[in-house]
Amino acid sequence: NIPITLYWRSRRTMSQSYTIMFYLLDHMAHVGGQLKWSLGGHYPNVLWAPGEYVSETYALPVYLDTPPGLYTIQLGLYEYPADNKEGTYAWLPLMDASLQTPTDRLYLGQIRVRDVAEEGRPSYSLQVTLGNQIQLLGYDLSPPPHVPLSLGQPLNLTLYWRALRPLEDDYTVFTQLLGPDGRIWGQQDNQPQGGRYPTSRWEIGQTVVDRYVLVLHHNAPRGEYYLLVGMYKLASGERLAATDTDGRRIPEDAVRLTTLMVN
């Protein structure tokens, strides 16, 4: 749960009870948690005296299946009209110093939901640097590299990143399955953590666990495949220079994680 303490001041006597609603939203407005609570709880707002200050702490739950990333906390207040016969409600207009006109929602700030694997270590360690800014620490793979992959079987890839310095740009990750014919037969590109944690928001030294699911095209040939990853700027397609532990440039700036056999 996320503890949130709000400080209220009653400007006048209230005859209507209000309900407060919190949402935890990602960049696509998907809900990662929510809380509905009567304003004031055991000391409802209809009992507040004009000018009285009231503080209240709320526990906003995070759903167990909420994916990691940055989330915005949204706040709203609503009431049930006195003549309400259909169970509908009306949002109260809200204002803060930055708004020119009232709104029915306020945004309190952002919070990061962490991946459960963040404190662990990758199964396969690496030390590859991208653009002298980001380090690829390693990866997990399921099924593991020594187990042949079947057509249509999902390949679960987990990447472990670390920011070496402050990042100004938002980079896109590419993951590719390169077949024996030199063609790409499986791919997933997106900003880290499904777009929920852009690189410009990373903290120096922080491990970022980044998950992908790759599936081979149904017409993919059998044989030996390379699993490649890297990063690029979306606007230009320019890849970040990838270098190994000796400072040597990796061909095409595509890090070859492992070799896989496809049956």
Side-chain angles (χ1 to χ4, degrees):
N1 292 345
I2 303 169
I4 303 170
T5 300
L6 298 182
Y7 299 86
W8 305 93
R9 183 188 181 193
S10 174
R11 303 184 66 178
R12 59 178 176 80
T13 301
M14 292 171 276
S15 60
Q16 176 69 47
S17 296
Y18 299 132
T19 300
I20 186 170
M21 179 70 83
F22 292 97
Y23 289 103
L24 192 64
L25 304 174
D26 71 3
H27 66 301
M28 297 295 289
H30 297 144
V31 178
Q34 71 178 61
L35 173 67
K36 182 172 68 172
W37 193 261
S38 297
L39 183 59
H42 296 300
Y43 184 38
N45 62 278
V46 293
L47 300 180
W48 298 358
E52 182 178 5
Y53 288 90
V54 177
S55 66
E56 189 172 28
T57 298
Y58 311 90
L60 173 59
V62 180
Y63 298 152
L64 291 177
D65 59 351
T66 296
L70 287 177
Y71 289 78
T72 299
I73 299 173
Q74 183 191 77
L75 162 69
L77 279 169
Y78 65 85
E79 64 176 342
Y80 291 97
D83 60 348
N84 178 27
K85 298 180 180 180
E86 299 178 358
T88 58
Y89 53 84
W91 292 99
L92 300 182
L94 304 173
M95 286 285 292
D96 71 9
S98 65
L99 297 175
Q100 299 296 321
T101 58
T103 181
D104 60 4
R105 312 292 168 87
L106 290 180
Y107 297 93
L108 303 184
Q110 284 192 317
I111 192 167
R112 179 178 172 236
V113 176
R114 299 169 60 184
D115 193 290
V116 294
E118 196 169 290
E119 301 300 328
R121 295 184 178 181
S123 301
Y124 306 94
S125 297
L126 295 170
Q127 286 190 359
V128 175
T129 302
L130 302 178
N132 293 319
Q133 303 175 74
I134 298 171
Q135 188 175 39
L136 178 58
L137 303 173
Y139 66 96
D140 299 333
L141 198 64
S142 179
H146 65 274
V147 177
L149 191 67
S150 302
L151 292 180
Q153 181 182 7
L155 182 68
N156 296 282
L157 171 66
T158 302
L159 302 173
Y160 292 73
W161 307 101
R162 176 181 293 162
L164 301 175
R165 52 181 49 85
L167 303 171
E168 296 181 357
D169 296 310
D170 292 327
Y171 299 112
T172 298
V173 179
F174 68 86
T175 62
Q176 300 175 347
L177 285 169
L178 192 68
D181 55 357
R183 296 176 57 189
I184 298 172
W185 289 98
Q187 183 169 3
Q188 182 184 345
D189 291 19
N190 51 243
Q191 291 188 12
Q193 294 187 343
R196 292 178 299 275
Y197 197 23
T199 54
S200 63
R201 303 295 302 276
W202 289 8
E203 298 178 9
I204 298 175
Q206 177 187 79
T207 299
V208 177
V209 176
D210 192 22
R211 300 178 185 272
Y212 297 82
V213 179
L214 290 87
V215 179
L216 286 168
H217 192 275
H218 68 278
N219 289 329
R222 291 172 171 79
E224 187 177 71
Y225 281 72
Y226 297 127
L227 178 58
L228 307 175
V229 303
M231 286 188 177
Y232 63 91
K233 295 180 180 179
L234 182 61
S236 64
E238 178 186 1
R239 292 181 176 179
L240 288 181
T243 54
D244 61 19
T245 53
D246 297 322
R248 294 174 298 195
R249 188 80 171 262
I250 295 175
E252 299 183 0
D253 299 316
V255 183
R256 183 184 297 182
L257 298 184
T258 189
T259 302
L260 301 168
M261 290 302 299
V262 174
N263 293 335

